[in-house]
Amino acid sequence: MSSDQTTILIVEDEPAISELVSFTLRAAGWSTQAVGDTAQAWAYLQKRTPQLILLDWMLPDQSGLRLLSKIRSDRNFNELPVIMLTAKSMEEDKIAGLDHGADDYITKPFSPRELAARVKAMLRRKSPEHAQSTLTVANVRLEPSSCTVKIDEQKIDIGHAEYKLLKFLMAHPERVFSRGQLLDKVWGDHVVIEERTVDVHVLRLRKVLKQAEGLIKTVRSVGYMLSEK
Ligand code: CA
């Protein structure tokens, strides 16, 4: 199950802050991976792609900014959301961070509540399927905190793959996705499955949605979309 968990990479060398951040994010429903310098962060990124990075500015081996530049110049990561954690509150430093491709920054000291809210807002903007917010479309409600789907307030039985597919489509309503995009976004790029597997899961998803099955539209020769229209 770990591969489909939303993971946030924390790059922070101060153990007390790293622990506080991990604790806060885990309590909000995400999983975390903490490293203490840019070399470990880069090594981690060669194996896994997190959904967001919280990056400290002052790190023992290199500055967080250097790592940020490296991340942004790699086409695998150029859309990866990065929030800088910084003790620097100088205006020019904030601008430098944003110039290097940071999506947001949080100035230390910060409250855990503010941190969680900023992370949630960022994920909602960049990848809503990871924001852990309740999703509602028509009479279908999906609750990530409990991994449940309800239709007209009635909980339904849904397989894991169908749940992930539904979550992704509900997070991006009215948008068409090709089979390849769905494989990539829902199953991740480390998984090798054929495109027609997507059709099988869509078929199963429609079946469990019963009267709400019409929400999942086939867009001929393109792919699928979730639409109320
Ligand atoms: Ca530091």
Side-chain angles (χ1 to χ4, degrees):
M1 290 281 234
S2 59
S3 63
D4 24 274
Q5 278 237 323
T6 300
T7 301
I8 297 169
L9 177 65
I10 302 160
V11 190
E12 168 63 69
D13 60 315
E14 286 160 73
I17 295 176
S18 183
E19 275 165 37
L20 173 68
V21 170
S22 287
F23 178 82
T24 302
L25 298 177
R26 283 170 190 262
W30 296 291
S31 67
T32 58
Q33 176 67 47
V35 295
D37 60 37
T38 70
Q40 289 175 58
W42 190 251
Y44 178 86
L45 289 172
Q46 304 315 302
K47 290 177 283 175
R48 295 246 163 87
T49 304
Q51 278 68 46
L52 186 143
I53 301 179
L54 282 173
L55 178 58
D56 185 28
W57 188 296
M58 302 286 278
L59 290 160
D61 58 342
Q62 265 191 338
S63 81
L65 269 193
R66 289 282 294 277
L67 178 64
L68 180 60
S69 299
K70 202 167 165 183
I71 288 169
R72 285 296 178 251
S73 58
D74 186 314
R75 67 184 183 91
N76 290 319
F77 306 124
N78 52 24
E79 285 179 27
L80 186 57
V82 177
I83 300 179
M84 295 290 295
L85 291 176
T86 173
K88 302 185 173 200
S89 55
M90 302 285 287
E91 201 57 32
E92 55 264 42
D93 291 334
K94 289 176 183 173
I95 291 166
L98 296 173
D99 274 351
H100 280 72
D103 297 288
D104 197 4
Y105 53 84
I106 297 175
T107 308
K108 295 176 191 173
F110 48 82
S111 76
R113 189 183 292 186
E114 185 198 356
L115 173 73
R118 298 281 277 277
V119 167
K120 191 167 192 161
M122 181 61 60
L123 287 171
R124 200 178 271 159
R125 184 151 67 86
K126 294 274 187 163
S127 47
E129 72 277 18
H130 295 295
Q132 299 293 52
S133 317
T134 298
L135 299 166
T136 308
V137 176
N139 57 346
V140 181
R141 197 168 79 224
L142 185 146
E143 283 162 7
S145 55
S146 54
C147 290
T148 52
V149 178
K150 290 176 179 171
I151 300 177
D152 293 327
E153 299 306 312
Q154 288 285 98
K155 195 178 161 215
I156 62 164
D157 271 329
I158 184 165
H160 186 60
E162 288 72 53
Y163 171 83
K164 286 201 297 177
L165 178 61
L166 180 64
K167 188 180 180 191
F168 180 78
L169 290 171
M170 287 181 78
H172 303 90
E174 312 297 335
R175 271 183 60 188
V176 186
F177 295 95
S178 69
R179 288 164 181 80
Q181 284 175 315
L182 289 173
L183 276 182
D184 191 41
K185 303 276 190 187
V186 179
W187 282 273
D189 43 14
H190 303 298
V191 189
V192 184
I193 30 178
E194 292 173 58
E195 293 200 352
R196 65 191 164 86
T197 311
V198 174
D199 300 330
V200 175
H201 289 300
V202 167
L203 210 71
R204 287 189 194 153
L205 176 58
R206 282 183 175 139
K207 206 167 166 188
V208 297
L209 288 177
K210 296 187 183 114
Q211 72 273 28
E213 64 163 3
L215 286 174
I216 313 295
K217 308 273 195 287
T218 302
V219 182
R220 197 176 273 272
S221 74
V222 183
Y224 297 101
M225 74 187 288
L226 183 141
S227 173
E228 285 188 71
K229 288 162 200 154

